[in-house]
Amino acid sequence: MTTAASCSRILCPLVVAQLLCVSMSWANPQVKIQQVASQLAPLWQTYQPLCVMGLQVDIQLRVAPRIQLLNEFLTPPPFIEHLSQRPSVIPDEYWQHALWNKQAELEANALEAQQRETFREYYFKLQTHQANPVRAQLVHRMQQAATQLNAALREGLWKTCATLGLENMALEQIEAVAEHRWNMQKDRVQWQLEQTIAAFYFYTYRHVNNQELEEMTLLHEAVQPWAEDMAEGIREYFAQLRLVMLSHALAKPVNAFSRRRISPSVASPFPANPRSTP
């Protein structure tokens, strides 16, 4: 099983609440960065076991040093520090608009535990019923920034998974492998993100009239350049992380013979790797 094949299972059972925290209202750039960063560790914990299972058995036993490194850097503090160094490309007046507060309140209500079952039903209803065309267009415009940030996170994680067990290759080759495997899943990832985030916005703003929703949409579009810059920052963070990860050698292989010498009463669960036999 390849890493790409195993990771393709991730998107179907995504927990809606986990995904949607990244699409909450903006308030200011630093708050938004923190919201994005809060998703990093939970998403990595979802991806990690599938990333490892997608490797050959002998490689699975050797990636522990790299997993330890990723566990350290796929957490909010270093991620926030990296993104915070990028200057805001949006004037403060757009972040200070009063409508952000209303959006934050509406979205927080939609994410409450007691709303989950209702939202789940609403989500599946949207799969079988066509939304109002005017509302659909507004939601499509509104969700672009959130979708972009979510996609950048998943692109970084996919590429990290794709390179987790690679060694003895030029960096250009490794990045080519990562890009290829990401492109195999990119459209599916994008489609599922768009569907889920759109459903969240439809549900959250279902009682907001079209005129006010248009005003909110214009705010989201105004900060779109910032979202694009942050998405690029996310990709840069993962590219740098992969470079550091690949500088950490895989653990030395342990063959079946050496295992038997250490503990003769315990049979080795895996066959020896012929290439690693002295």
Side-chain angles (χ1 to χ4, degrees):
M1 184 189 303
T2 65
T3 302
S6 65
C7 285
S8 65
R9 302 177 185 176
I10 293 172
L11 292 178
C12 296
L14 271 178
V15 179
V16 168
Q18 187 180 79
L19 169 68
L20 294 174
C21 285
V22 190
S23 67
M24 290 180 69
S25 291
W26 302 75
N28 62 62
Q30 193 61 28
V31 168
K32 187 59 181 177
I33 289 173
Q34 292 169 359
Q35 290 171 352
V36 175
S38 70
Q39 294 307 294
L40 192 57
L43 282 172
W44 168 235
Q45 292 307 310
T46 301
Y47 277 67
Q48 180 183 317
L50 296 176
C51 293
V52 175
M53 286 190 295
L55 300 171
Q56 295 180 358
V57 171
D58 59 328
I59 300 298
Q60 290 182 24
L61 301 173
R62 301 175 58 203
V63 296
R66 292 181 175 180
I67 293 292
Q68 184 176 0
L69 174 78
L70 294 175
N71 287 342
E72 178 183 350
F73 284 94
L74 292 177
T75 56
F79 187 75
I80 290 173
E81 181 181 359
H82 175 81
L83 293 184
S84 297
Q85 293 174 358
R86 304 178 75 89
S88 176
V89 295
I90 301 296
D92 289 343
E93 62 187 87
Y94 290 105
W95 299 111
Q96 294 168 358
H97 199 290
L99 272 180
W100 289 127
N101 294 330
K102 181 171 183 177
Q103 291 180 72
E105 182 180 350
L106 290 171
E107 293 181 7
N109 289 337
L111 287 170
E112 289 179 354
Q114 61 266 33
Q115 296 277 2
R116 289 179 184 175
E117 191 57 38
T118 305
F119 171 68
R120 197 184 309 276
E121 294 174 359
Y122 193 91
Y123 175 84
F124 287 113
K125 181 179 179 180
L126 284 173
Q127 309 309 304
T128 56
H129 294 73
Q130 187 171 5
N132 177 284
V134 175
R135 303 283 289 188
Q137 182 59 30
L138 289 172
V139 167
H140 176 74
R141 289 165 52 196
M142 175 184 281
Q143 74 178 90
Q144 293 309 302
T147 301
Q148 198 164 24
L149 292 170
N150 277 278
L153 270 180
R154 283 152 183 80
E155 177 182 348
L157 288 166
W158 272 83
K159 290 183 175 180
T160 301
C161 284
T163 57
L164 179 62
L166 298 181
E167 62 178 348
N168 300 325
M169 294 173 62
L171 181 60
E172 293 78 8
Q173 291 177 295
I174 290 175
E175 285 298 305
V177 170
E179 188 69 24
H180 173 70
R181 292 184 179 173
W182 164 244
N183 285 335
M184 290 173 63
Q185 303 294 333
K186 181 178 179 179
D187 289 344
R188 183 179 179 182
V189 173
Q190 187 77 16
W191 179 84
Q192 190 148 11
L193 285 173
E194 289 176 352
Q195 293 294 308
T196 310
I197 295 174
F200 176 68
Y201 281 144
F202 273 118
Y203 180 74
T204 298
Y205 300 111
R206 63 195 182 280
H207 300 310
V208 175
N209 62 50
N210 285 355
Q211 182 177 351
E212 189 171 24
L213 189 62
E214 169 75 25
E215 294 178 39
M216 294 176 177
T217 298
L218 290 174
L219 274 182
H220 282 259
E221 290 179 332
V223 299
Q224 179 66 29
W226 180 88
E228 293 172 358
D229 184 65
M230 286 298 107
E232 183 59 30
I234 292 171
R235 286 188 284 269
E236 287 180 2
Y237 183 80
F238 277 99
Q240 294 173 15
L241 180 57
R242 286 193 297 276
L243 188 61
V244 175
M245 179 188 74
L246 293 166
S247 71
H248 283 59
L250 298 175
K252 292 182 179 180
V254 179
N255 58 48
F257 177 73
S258 64
R259 285 168 178 262
R260 284 196 296 271
R261 286 196 304 172
I262 295 171
S263 181
S265 62
V266 179
S268 174
F270 304 115
N273 181 351
R275 292 176 296 178
S276 64
T277 302

